[in-house]
Amino acid sequence: MHRVLLGLLAASILTVAKEDIIVFHAGSLAVPFAKIEKAFEAKYPQYDVKREPSGSRTAARKVSELKRPCDVVASADYKVIDNLLIPKDARFNAQFATNEMAIAYTPHSKFASQINVKNWPEILLKQGVKTGHSNPNVDPCGYRAVLVAQLAEQYYRKPGFFKALLGYGAYYKAGEAQKSTIVVRPKETDLLALLEAHAIDYLFIYKSVAQQHGLKYLTLPEAISLKSKTYDAAYQKAHFKITGKKPGSYLLKKGGAMIYGVTIPQNASSPAHPEGAVAFVKFLLSPEGEKIMRESGQGSISPALITGDATLLKAD
């Protein structure tokens, strides 16, 4: 009995001694980061990773506007870090992963047996079809969905397609979506349940997320999928405004190859646990972290392209 009590006491002390690492990350990173959390904690049992998924812009604003303690911010668009965190709330930006846009659906989606990579613009415009995308003002997947629709209009030579499908002006205003045909939620992963419940038929989403959830999906032509830097000049012909740092201000988002970014916030409240933050980011950028990202359906940038002052990461 005495030994059992001592064992329980030792386990309790170890549990209490664990140091939290607070990670705000894009919803599309939920699956790979869950795997990274498990592998990281196995290697560094002194840490307990606390993840909080959201739209990438929301994640950044939790730090820049709400001043919430945070150790790591990982965004589905590295430019979110540049635009909302650097230089006041972060010092560096590590570009570490890639992705591409796809259109997900289920066998129950209307016209599921007919849709293909050539006719999907016509299918999405058919009567009774509902399509989902995330909010462009809070989630990169949302403005990327808008950019893909614009690019598709040119690629498929369908004048008026963007207006017919989405109907937006220069930027998206809350409640502006055509509710009979378009459903908008804060982040792309919020729409998965609606798709699986057959409340919507199609969903603009990252290819990795569609794969992770076992959904049927269309792999779009690289000329419109935002996958490859080879097409950056073509991608940049599409553009859309999103809300800026200050109320009433806007940023112009142009099309570009999809690149994820990660940083360690540096302000009065962050990082809460600097040593743990550095260890987590180094693990994410390591060959083991890269492997997990690839196995989760995303490309890795190896080595990561780091801009700004990354002195923190150089510390032993």
Side-chain angles (χ1 to χ4, degrees), residues 32-95:
F33 269 35
K35 295 176 181 177
I36 285 172
E37 174 187 346
K38 184 177 180 180
F40 175 81
E41 290 177 349
K43 187 172 184 178
Y44 300 99
Q46 68 269 38
Y47 295 119
D48 185 12
V49 177
K50 303 290 189 182
R51 297 182 299 105
E52 190 172 310
S54 68
S56 295
R57 288 169 59 80
T58 297
R61 283 175 165 149
K62 290 173 187 175
V63 173
S64 63
E65 297 177 14
L66 301 181
K67 305 302 179 184
R68 288 183 53 189
C70 175
D71 297 299
V72 176
V73 174
S75 169
D77 184 350
Y78 77 98
K79 292 182 180 178
V80 168
I81 293 172
D82 286 343
N83 293 334
L84 298 182
L85 294 179
I86 292 177
K88 186 178 178 181
D89 297 293
R91 304 289 180 269
F92 75 89
N93 193 352
Q95 300 173 31

Side-chain angles (χ1 to χ4, degrees), residues 141-159:
C141 194
Y143 55 73
R144 285 166 171 158
V146 172
L147 296 173
V148 167
Q150 290 182 5
L151 292 168
E153 180 171 317
Q154 300 301 317
Y155 183 84
Y156 292 99
R157 299 180 182 179
K158 299 288 183 184

Side-chain angles (χ1 to χ4, degrees), residues 83-299:
N83 293 334
L84 298 182
L85 294 179
I86 292 177
K88 186 178 178 181
D89 297 293
R91 304 289 180 269
F92 75 89
N93 193 352
Q95 300 173 31
F96 72 100
T98 63
N99 215 326
E100 62 185 287
M101 292 296 292
I103 296 176
Y105 61 105
T106 76
H108 300 280
S109 299
K110 294 182 181 68
F111 307 104
S113 63
Q114 300 176 31
I115 196 167
N116 57 51
V117 73
K118 294 181 179 180
N119 69 8
W120 67 265
E122 290 93 338
I123 295 294
L124 266 56
L125 291 179
K126 284 185 176 292
Q127 186 173 1
V129 171
K130 281 196 172 186
T131 304
H133 70 77
S134 57
N135 187 331
N137 292 320
V138 300
D139 184 32
C141 194
Y143 55 73
R144 285 166 171 158
V146 172
L147 296 173
V148 167
Q150 290 182 5
L151 292 168
E153 180 171 317
Q154 300 301 317
Y155 183 84
Y156 292 99
R157 299 180 182 179
K158 299 288 183 184
F161 170 71
F162 171 78
K163 194 70 176 178
L165 180 66
L166 300 178
Y168 305 147
Y171 55 89
Y172 171 76
K173 295 178 287 187
E176 184 182 11
Q178 304 172 84
K179 295 182 179 178
S180 61
T181 57
I182 298 295
V183 175
V184 179
R185 292 292 185 272
K187 60 182 184 294
E188 79 281 355
T189 48
D190 292 334
L191 292 152
L192 290 171
L194 296 180
L195 182 65
E196 291 166 349
H198 319 314
I200 59 176
D201 301 292
Y202 298 95
L203 173 59
F204 284 97
I205 199 166
Y206 299 137
K207 184 176 179 179
S208 66
V209 177
Q211 291 175 339
Q212 291 159 10
H213 290 267
L215 297 170
K216 296 176 73 68
Y217 62 88
L218 297 178
T219 296
L220 301 175
E222 286 192 11
I224 65 174
S225 70
L226 307 181
K227 176 185 179 179
S228 173
K229 279 185 170 293
T230 302
Y231 290 94
D232 262 352
Y235 295 157
Q236 289 177 12
K237 293 178 182 178
H239 52 82
F240 194 69
K241 289 182 179 179
I242 58 175
T243 52
K245 283 186 178 181
K246 298 179 180 179
S249 67
Y250 293 90
L251 297 171
L252 182 66
K253 296 299 299 183
K254 291 185 177 181
M258 293 174 55
I259 299 174
Y260 285 59
V262 64
T263 192
I264 296 173
Q266 290 178 261
N267 57 32
S269 58
S270 299
H273 310 100
E275 290 185 3
V278 170
F280 183 88
V281 172
K282 283 185 173 181
F283 183 84
L284 173 65
L285 303 183
S286 73
E288 189 172 356
E290 292 173 359
K291 183 173 182 288
I292 291 173
M293 294 303 299
R294 290 193 299 270
E295 289 174 346
S296 299
Q298 294 191 230

